[in-house]
Amino acid sequence: MTESIVHSDPRTTAPQVAQLQGAPDWRVIDFISDLHLQPTEPQTVQAWRNYLQRSTADAIFMLGDLFEVWVGDDALDEAGSFEAECAGLLREAAQKRPLFFMVGNRDFLAGNEFLRRSGMTGLTEPTVLHWAGPNILLSHGDALCLGDVEYQQFRALSRSAAWQQQLLAQPLAVRRAIGKSARSESEQRKQSGAPYADADAQMTTTWMQTAQAPWLIHGHTHQPADHALGKDQWRIVLSDWHIDASTHRAEVLRVTPEGWLRIAPEQA
Ligand SMILES: [Mn+2]
């Protein structure tokens, strides 16, 4: 048997959309993404911890890049690791209301063991949420940024099982070092002023039509905005979180059947 590789145009190819049925009593649901949690940014971690403990939402969705880097679920077994600490916080929060997690381009190696330990439900990319309000398509957003050609090539490679197995076969310390160097490369690229790609308009339309969802919520671009796409159709972009001595950026997207608002985590 021969296998042929079909290079279909991602802008017009209907994606496989996973379905999620919300609970009938959900009235308030929160969305966050791109917190880029890391031990060297304790104030962002603290704001997230406080938010998880206090939020009045019926469900919380974390749509990727929750962590600056995730080098493998075995990091959870390292005594006193940052990963284990975060999983513990999530587990506590998950006892109060359901938590959902979708990976981003930084934490795509977060796997089933992480989900199990943190008490969260994993979501595949993209997923459409059915609930009391309009259908909402959920994505991290990186797959839609077709303009970032170099990244799309890395994405295709790094989501393959073979690539992941090869990386995960390295000792944890080696993977931590790889994670660090990948991060500094991406920092350099950011500082070089290379423009950020945004979601491709045609691909966005294809995805929303396939999902039959009038709303799309995604992160990744760090360009929070409400984009009107047509009659009652919206692309709603989440904010990243970054809190240190000089910056205070953190936002929760709170959604009710009537609409949405952007609130500070301490008001959630
Ligand atoms: Mn991202």
Side-chain angles (χ1 to χ4, degrees), residues 34 36 64-65 104-106 140 142 151 219-222:
D34 301 278
H36 295 265
D65 288 359
N105 52 301
R106 299 305 192 97
H140 176 59
D142 55 321
Y151 169 68
H220 181 65
T221 61
H222 299 198

